[in-house]
Amino acid sequence: MFVDPLGLMSEGEVLSNYLQIQNLIYNSLKKPGSGYIQKNWDEFNNNAIGVWFSVFFGEESMNGCMYAPTNYELRYSPSSGAKYDNVCWACCEVYVQNINNSNITNKEYNKQVNEMVERVQKFNGYYVNSLPGSTKSSPSFNTIVKMLDESGGPIYGSIVEKENSFGNSLQNHAIVIVGAYTYKNKNTIVYYDPNLGHMSERYDDNEMKLQGKKLASVSKVDKDNFD
């Protein structure tokens, strides 16, 4: 078993968690209404299996830090009881609290988000419970990997939704980053978006973008102080 050159998770741990989260994404793609036809999610599944074989038999390496959630269903949507807009901050906090809860239903997830918003009384945008002093702006791939490792769990990310004419952020969108790995010299970020579910996307240090939008910052979760 090869050890990650960054001194983080072993290659076996990264690969195992990669397979678990790819399975979550695969099941999400298969779900009716996902917008993906069978050819798309079959191809996705075959690619994931190909990665596993190449790493397991030593043809390729996989390095990074990855955590595997246990539930792919969690989406904040009106059909499941969502009441509010612009509450990605609460969605991310509740997601982190339930990341290892395989029994939570989507309805219960939406209920917990609603309750957090009503408890805090922030109905039109707010901040996630970042650990004070942990925020890193314009993060490189290695910064993300190291923060994941130091945290021992997922971290928060902030994507720029709107900018002014000077390039300053006017509105950001919160996500939860659960993993970052390198395979065939390409860096990939795995994250949870309250609107889209689990996503897997290449990350370029020169552009620093997810969903075509700039990743403004990352931060650790303040595990002792949820809203």
Side-chain angles (χ1 to χ4, degrees), residues 45-217:
N45 189 46
N46 290 336
N47 288 341
I49 293 172
V51 170
W52 184 87
F53 272 104
S54 69
V55 176
F56 185 80
F57 290 106
E59 297 173 1
E60 300 288 346
S61 62
M62 177 178 281
N63 304 309
C65 193
M66 183 95 68
Y67 301 99
T70 58
N71 195 310
Y72 72 90
E73 290 277 6
L74 306 182
R75 305 276 182 87
Y76 190 64
S77 62
S79 62
S80 296
K83 295 181 181 180
Y84 308 105
D85 296 320
N86 300 322
V87 293
C88 53
W89 63 272
C91 294
C92 289
E93 288 195 34
V94 173
Y95 172 87
V96 170
Q97 288 179 302
N98 288 282
I99 194 167
N100 294 317
N101 183 1
S102 60
N103 296 317
I104 188 171
T105 64
N106 203 44
K107 185 176 181 180
E108 175 61 24
Y109 168 74
N110 278 258
K111 178 175 177 288
Q112 290 185 23
V113 172
N114 291 336
E115 290 174 346
M116 180 175 287
V117 173
E118 291 161 1
R119 183 167 60 250
V120 180
Q121 292 288 297
K122 297 293 182 181
F123 300 101
N124 192 30
Y126 194 48
Y127 302 97
V128 291
N129 64 318
S130 297
L131 187 69
S134 69
T135 300
K136 301 291 184 183
S137 299
S138 301
S140 67
F141 178 78
N142 280 355
T143 294
I144 295 170
V145 174
K146 290 180 180 179
M147 185 175 289
L148 282 164
D149 179 65
E150 292 172 355
S151 298
I155 62 178
Y156 293 129
S158 181
I159 298 175
V160 177
E161 288 283 1
K162 292 181 181 180
E163 293 181 322
N164 61 22
S165 58
F166 299 101
N168 298 318
S169 174
L170 297 176
Q171 181 179 334
N172 286 11
H173 176 61
I175 61 172
V176 180
I177 298 175
V178 297
Y181 67 90
T182 300
Y183 174 73
K184 289 188 174 180
N185 296 317
K186 294 180 180 178
N187 299 329
T188 298
I189 302 294
V190 182
Y191 61 97
Y192 170 78
D193 185 312
N195 299 327
L196 303 171
H198 292 100
M199 306 286 290
S200 181
E201 195 171 340
R202 294 276 166 77
Y203 191 75
D204 185 328
D205 275 355
N206 293 318
E207 296 186 351
M208 298 183 179
K209 290 183 177 181
L210 294 174
Q211 301 176 31
K213 303 171 184 176
K214 183 174 177 58
L215 180 62
S217 64

